[in-house]
Amino acid sequence: MSTNQNQADTATMPDPQEIAQTYADVARRSSKLLTEHVQRQMQKGIKTCDDELGLAQAFMDMTSKLLANPMRLAQAQWSLAWDYFSLWQNSMQRFMGLAPAPIATPAKDDKRFRDDAWQDHFLFDFIKQSYLIAARHVHDTVAGVEGLDENTQKKVNFFTRQYVDALSPSNFVLTNPEVMRTTVQSHGQNLVKGFNNLLRDIEDGDGQLRIRMTDTDAFELGKNVGTTPGKVVFQNDLIQLLQYTPTTAKVYKRPLMIVPPWINKYYILDLREKNSFVKWSVDQGHTVFVISWVNPDARLAEKQFEDYLQEGVIDAVDAVCKQTGASEINAVGYCLGGTLLSAAAAYMAAKKDKRIASTTFLTTLTDFSEPGELGVFIDEDQVTNLERKMSERGYLEGSEMANTFNMLRANDLIWSFVVNNYLLGKNPFPFDLLYWNSDATRMPAKMHSFYLRNMYMRNALREPGGITLLGTPIDLSKIKVPAYFISTKEDHIAPWKTTYLGTQLLGGPVRFVLGGSGHIAGIVNPPVANKYGFWVNDAGKLPPSPDDWLTSATQHEGSWWTDWNAWLVAQDDSQVPARNPSAGTLPVLDEAPGSYVKLRLDKTVR
């Protein structure tokens, strides 16, 4: 063998010192985790396996219905066999050098099979198509079972998809060409590093696997996320109120108050300067206030939904008006924050309090009749089990709710990181959006129980007087002020056709806009990006059916932000000298982003 070849082989060999360090980390973490696991099991004792999701009964019902129709089952089996026969013929043609059209192809947005080998290599193409055929037939067979009630059918469909996604050949070493190639090139060090990453994530989760989605060391609040200058001007048990420093000589007379969801941190609207809704709104001449929710612990276990109404929205409105001297404000609510804002606006309307002069609802459900796939997790048995768990500690862990949301897009938010972190042995890429996505908050037990039962299960908010808050029946039809709804076409958390139903509940003029993309990307869509576009009904029609609305809607290029700002300014374009946070009547308590947003009591950021 030549000297050059020996040098090349030596250059590709792993660094012995790095190997030794990795093995030492694996040994240390393994020993520590095993010891902690044994200690936890000794403390907890042996527990029976609970079927909290009701999956056993759901799949037993599905199986009995499926077997009750043997003719349909036989047809499904014959169809599957025929597709496999076609695939075999297709593969033989490829083996002989022909180029037949594939029997099964992944969806355009399916990122699992992007590596060229999935198409170019005979064997991996066969594995891919074989999986896609099986996946399609399993889905079709399960979804086609007749006689199941709607909730059982949705549950079976959803968890069948989870099972099928988990078995994708992209998730295994020997059937993923990229992982195989990396394993050979690195002499298996990717698997050793991946195992070390797995142990690290179990360690960070105190014995539970919490997949790290991003490089958390790359971000620091106030440094490169949540950087818009401002001050904390009010604080109570539940919120800190941030007021942002103006960038224009004059500002609109009505301040703008934003109510974010309390399940995540507010800075989704202030990630980076170039995509910050907060910064952009300040630059348009608005005096912007944002509620920053606390990350509650057991001390706040007794806080209820109406406490979030009073100490969250109402107290914030009081503080904004006191700080600025304004008698009217514009209010924006995002997701759960929008649901709370609708309740607050209805409460204030019932009290003849006219300080909220307009409302904006970002991907907000006020009618929960069709909550999408989240409904799979919400029924009497599951909520009762959840209430039992919450009562033991006084709150719901943010990570538990985050796992539920991640399951809605398992291939993107679970399995892609399993492959990257554990099979390829890579560290996750620094991504501000995923840093925020991992930064969930806890929810007090009583508040969350009220929300699940009265919104999702009873759908009581849509009914006049369906719920009573602070001693006042809530009637959304009493909201007479102008309202702006922005929903997104691909939203998997708040389906746009359901958010649209909220336009029928309010008593004032409503503008509904449909944006492109999903729950986050469709909202955090700055004009400079010029992406996705949006649909509006220029005639201002709001028919009862969302499909009828879309039929007569027209698509526009760019971001909905500019449309919203034009609508908002049209309500009242009077201006006053810029309001500096330090010059108001409230004392400055801290610099933005404040301290509440930095509380990570359950190690949620990972």
Side-chain angles (χ1 to χ4, degrees):
M1 184 179 293
S2 68
T3 302
N4 290 339
Q5 182 65 44
N6 287 332
Q7 291 175 345
D9 291 342
T10 302
T12 59
M13 292 296 292
D15 180 5
Q17 186 173 357
E18 183 180 352
I19 294 176
Q21 182 62 48
T22 301
Y23 277 112
D25 288 344
V26 168
R28 176 183 58 80
R29 284 188 163 129
S30 298
S31 176
K32 179 175 180 290
L33 288 172
L34 181 60
T35 301
E36 292 175 348
H37 175 72
V38 171
Q39 291 174 344
R40 277 194 298 268
Q41 293 304 112
M42 291 177 63
Q43 293 173 356
K44 295 179 180 178
I46 299 176
K47 291 188 177 181
T48 59
C49 182
D50 295 327
D51 183 20
E52 296 180 349
L53 299 176
L55 297 184
Q57 186 62 53
F59 277 88
M60 286 174 61
D61 291 346
M62 183 274 293
T63 303
S64 65
K65 300 292 185 184
L66 179 63
L67 295 177
N69 192 341
M71 181 62 71
R72 186 159 190 164
L73 180 59
Q75 289 174 340
Q77 291 173 332
W78 172 250
S79 178
L80 175 62
W82 180 258
D83 277 352
Y84 272 128
F85 177 73
S86 300
L87 175 60
W88 182 255
Q89 284 186 316
N90 178 280
S91 299
M92 288 300 99
Q93 290 175 343
R94 282 203 62 183
F95 188 71
M96 291 185 292
L98 301 177
I103 303 301
T105 57
K108 290 183 178 180
D109 60 348
D110 191 339
K111 302 175 183 178
R112 295 174 294 177
F113 305 106
R114 290 182 301 179
D115 191 276
D116 290 340
W118 288 113
Q119 286 75 42
D120 299 339
H121 194 284
F122 166 82
L123 178 60
F124 288 113
D125 180 59
F126 178 84
I127 291 172
K128 176 194 68 179
Q129 292 195 61
S130 179
Y131 164 75
L132 293 174
I133 289 171
R136 184 178 72 243
H137 280 279
V138 169
H139 277 302
D140 292 348
T141 301
V142 168
V145 173
E146 298 176 345
L148 294 176
D149 65 82
E150 184 180 4
N151 288 337
T152 300
Q153 185 68 70
K154 288 181 177 179
K155 186 177 294 186
V156 167
N157 290 349
F158 179 81
F159 285 100
T160 296
R161 193 181 80 222
Q162 301 301 312
Y163 171 76
V164 170
D165 288 347
L167 291 181
S168 170
S170 58
N171 298 335
F172 299 91
V173 174
L174 297 179
T175 52
N176 185 320
E178 183 183 8
V179 175
M180 282 285 289
R181 189 167 58 247
T182 303
T183 302
V184 172
Q185 292 172 350
S186 70
H187 302 274
Q189 286 308 298
N190 58 304
L191 301 179
V192 177
K193 291 179 180 178
F195 185 55
N196 195 30
N197 289 343
L198 174 65
L199 295 176
R200 175 203 62 199
D201 289 352
I202 296 175
E203 192 175 60
D204 289 347
D206 293 329
Q208 300 292 323
L209 177 61
R210 291 184 183 171
I211 301 173
R212 184 172 298 194
M213 295 182 175
T214 186
D215 179 5
T216 56
D217 295 332
F219 301 99
E220 183 179 352
L221 277 164
K223 298 295 184 181
N224 53 5
V225 289
T227 60
T228 302
K231 311 287 185 183
V232 177
V233 296
F234 176 78
Q235 175 179 317
N236 59 27
D237 286 346
L238 290 181
I239 70 166
Q240 286 185 330
L241 184 66
L242 312 180
Q243 180 185 355
Y244 291 92
T245 303
T247 58
T248 55
K250 288 189 174 183
V251 295
Y252 291 107
K253 184 178 180 181
R254 290 180 182 173
L256 179 67
M257 186 187 79
I258 300 175
V259 185
W262 55 86
I263 189 174
N264 282 99
K265 305 294 179 66
Y266 82 87
Y267 62 89
I268 182 57
L269 298 175
D270 188 29
L271 284 175
R272 289 169 287 124
E273 183 175 349
K274 69 177 184 179
N275 66 357
S276 170
F277 180 76
V278 169
K279 178 67 165 61
W280 186 85
S281 298
V282 169
D283 290 343
Q284 305 313 301
H286 297 286
T287 304
V288 179
F289 292 81
V290 174
I291 289 175
S292 176
W293 299 101
V294 74
N295 193 352
D297 57 16
R299 293 171 297 178
L300 300 178
E302 297 300 313
K303 292 291 184 181
Q304 307 213 34
F305 189 83
E306 62 182 12
D307 293 315
Y308 273 65
L309 172 67
Q310 177 63 61
E311 298 179 44
V313 180
I314 305 300
D315 282 3
V317 171
D318 291 343
V320 170
C321 292
K322 183 176 181 181
Q323 173 74 342
T324 62
S327 59
E328 294 181 332
I329 71 168
N330 297 312
V332 176
Y334 190 0
C335 191
L336 282 74
T339 304
L340 180 63
L341 174 61
S342 70
Y347 170 82
M348 295 174 70
K351 293 294 185 180
K352 310 300 181 184
D353 185 339
K354 299 181 179 181
R355 287 179 295 172
I356 292 182
S358 76
T359 55
T360 297
F361 300 105
L362 315 181
T363 61
T364 294
L365 290 172
T366 51
D367 183 319
F368 290 75
S369 55
E370 293 292 337
E373 289 188 326
L374 275 179
V376 168
F377 298 93
I378 302 170
D379 57 36
E380 181 60 41
D381 290 341
Q382 291 186 79
V383 172
T384 298
N385 283 324
L386 183 62
E387 289 172 334
R388 174 179 51 80
K389 290 171 63 176
M390 291 192 298
S391 66
E392 294 173 357
R393 57 196 178 203
Y395 53 82
L396 175 70
E397 286 282 10
S399 57
E400 294 175 345
M401 184 60 75
N403 289 338
T404 298
F405 286 126
N406 290 343
M407 288 179 70
L408 300 181
R409 294 176 54 202
N411 284 328
D412 291 334
L413 297 178
I414 297 177
W415 296 113
S416 66
F417 295 103
V418 168
V419 173
N420 182 81
N421 300 3
Y422 308 146
L423 300 188
L424 294 174
K426 297 179 180 179
N427 291 321
F429 186 78
F431 187 16
D432 54 6
L433 181 57
L434 289 176
Y435 176 81
W436 167 85
N437 185 62
S438 298
D439 195 6
T441 63
R442 293 168 167 171
M443 284 163 283
K446 288 192 173 181
M447 183 279 293
H448 194 53
S449 176
F450 179 94
Y451 180 75
L452 292 178
R453 289 192 173 277
N454 288 280
M455 306 303 174
Y456 279 97
M457 295 182 66
R458 292 181 54 226
N459 195 17
L461 182 61
R462 75 176 307 279
E463 302 294 337
I467 61 173
T468 297
L469 299 173
L470 300 175
T472 302
I474 300 301
D475 182 356
L476 298 184
S477 67
K478 291 185 177 180
I479 303 175
K480 307 295 184 181
V481 299
Y484 186 103
F485 280 74
I486 170 66
S487 301
T488 54
K489 233 180 178 184
E490 301 170 17
D491 197 331
H492 60 288
I493 295 174
W496 82 266
K497 291 184 180 181
T498 310
T499 62
Y500 177 86
L501 300 179
T503 65
Q504 311 295 304
L505 303 178
L506 308 188
V510 175
R511 180 173 178 81
F512 183 85
V513 176
L514 180 63
S517 196
H519 191 75
I520 302 300
I523 296 301
V524 184
N525 182 28
V528 68
N530 195 31
K531 293 193 300 184
Y532 307 135
F534 58 95
W535 288 259
V536 297
N537 192 318
D538 294 321
K541 296 179 180 178
L542 289 171
S545 167
D547 290 319
D548 291 343
W549 177 90
L550 185 59
T551 300
S552 57
T554 55
Q555 186 175 5
H556 297 259
E557 297 297 323
S559 169
W560 65 269
W561 291 13
T562 54
D563 180 82
W564 166 78
N565 190 60
W567 171 86
L568 189 64
V569 171
Q571 312 303 318
D572 185 353
D573 62 358
S574 56
Q575 295 186 328
V576 297
R579 307 175 176 110
N580 193 292
S582 302
T585 59
L586 298 176
V588 171
L589 305 178
D590 197 358
E591 297 289 325
S595 58
Y596 279 11
V597 74
K598 297 178 181 178
L599 295 176
R600 301 186 181 103
L601 304 181
D602 59 350
K603 299 183 181 179
T604 305
V605 170
R606 44 200 183 272

